[in-house]
């Protein structure tokens, strides 16, 4: 199955469990520790009916969040609100259209090699920065091609006679074989 992994608040082992472990009652300390881990996992686990729904809600949350930095608790609260909203409105036709539009948006972004974060970080179209960056990339690519051609030129010069001789030999052998 597919999952989306995000980070919650850090987990520290309580001192009483460490004291239990060092005191020789390792089984009880282990069970207490595993219970704390289970509680921590349940606090950050978000469930949805399918991965598609989860990824669409994640995208909706990112669009709503609009680049604002949230603490992990606020982030999880917002995510849970979106999941609760999904459960409330999943049978509404307008909400279904919205989810389909978000799915189309994700499909289009993936078809051009981007994720929803990548779309947010794209430069503004027809801006001076975009044109300068494009020209910079063109000149850099041409420079790299020129350098690689200069490096490959001696190999081409040395290997061309071998290619020429072999192609002539092959043509003669083909004519012999056809006769």
């Amino acid at each position: 199955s597919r999952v989306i992994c995000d980070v919650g608040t850090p987990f520290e082992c309580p001192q009483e469990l460490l004291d239990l472990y060092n005191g020789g009652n390792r089984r009880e300390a282990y069970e207490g520790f595993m219970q704390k881990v289970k509680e921590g996992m349940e606090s950050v686990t978000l469930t949805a009916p399918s991965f598609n729904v989860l990824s669409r809600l994640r995208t909706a949350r990112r669009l709503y969040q609009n680049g604002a930095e949230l603490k992990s608790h606020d982030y999880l609260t917002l995510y849970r609100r979106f999941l609760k909203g999904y459960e409330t409105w999943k049978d509404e036709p307008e909400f279904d259209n919205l989810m389909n539009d978000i799915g189309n948006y994700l499909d289009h972004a993936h078809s051009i090699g981007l994720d929803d974060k990548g779309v947010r970080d794209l430069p503004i179209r027809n801006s001076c920065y975009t044109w300068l960056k494009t020209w910079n990339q063109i000149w850099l690519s041409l420079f790299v091609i020129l350098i690689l051609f200069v490096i490959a030129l001696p190999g081409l010069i040395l290997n061309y006679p071998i290619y020429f001789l072999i192609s002539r030999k092959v043509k003669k052998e083909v004519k012999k074989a056809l006769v």
Side-chain angles (χ1 to χ4, degrees):
S1 70
R2 299 168 67 184
V3 297
I4 296 176
C5 294
D6 287 317
V7 178
T9 55
F11 173 75
E12 292 184 20
C13 184
Q15 186 63 37
E16 66 234 15
L17 291 177
L18 289 173
D19 294 339
L20 271 174
Y21 185 82
N22 291 332
N25 199 350
R26 292 183 175 186
R27 183 175 184 90
E28 189 176 330
Y30 174 75
E31 288 173 358
F33 181 74
M34 290 310 292
Q35 183 63 30
K36 292 285 187 186
V37 169
K38 183 180 175 186
E39 290 170 4
M41 290 297 290
E42 288 174 353
S43 71
V44 296
T45 302
L46 303 168
T47 57
S50 70
F51 182 76
N52 286 336
V53 170
L54 190 62
S55 63
R56 289 174 185 186
L57 289 175
R58 181 183 197 200
T59 301
R61 183 208 31 93
R62 279 191 182 151
L63 290 171
Y64 175 79
Q65 189 177 343
N66 198 21
E69 294 295 324
L70 298 175
K71 295 180 181 176
S72 61
H73 175 70
D74 297 333
Y75 165 80
L76 288 170
T77 303
L78 184 60
Y79 219 144
R80 283 195 178 98
R81 287 181 182 171
F82 271 89
L83 285 168
K84 187 177 179 183
Y86 172 79
E87 290 298 324
T88 304
W89 296 319
K90 66 181 174 184
D91 297 326
E92 298 291 326
E94 290 113 14
F95 185 75
D96 193 38
N97 289 338
L98 175 65
M99 292 298 281
N100 288 334
D101 288 345
I102 292 172
N104 292 338
Y105 166 76
L106 282 173
D107 292 340
H108 182 68
H110 288 295
S111 71
I112 58 175
L114 295 171
D115 59 352
D116 56 334
K117 278 185 183 177
V119 172
R120 182 189 67 205
D121 297 336
L122 286 173
I124 298 170
R125 190 174 179 189
N126 293 332
S127 69
C128 181
Y129 174 75
T130 306
W131 285 104
L132 289 175
K133 187 174 180 181
T134 303
W135 275 108
N136 186 25
Q137 288 176 345
I138 289 172
W139 284 111
L140 181 65
S141 298
L142 288 174
F143 179 72
V144 168
I145 289 170
L146 181 67
I147 295 297
L148 292 177
F149 179 74
V150 168
I151 291 171
L153 190 61
L156 290 173
I157 292 171
L158 290 175
N159 291 322
Y160 183 72
I162 296 170
Y163 166 76
F164 181 71
L165 291 174
I166 289 175
S167 63
R168 285 186 56 191
K169 180 82 169 173
V170 166
K171 286 179 185 176
K172 285 181 186 177
E173 293 296 322
V174 167
K175 283 183 183 178
K176 266 192 204 176
L178 291 175
V179 174

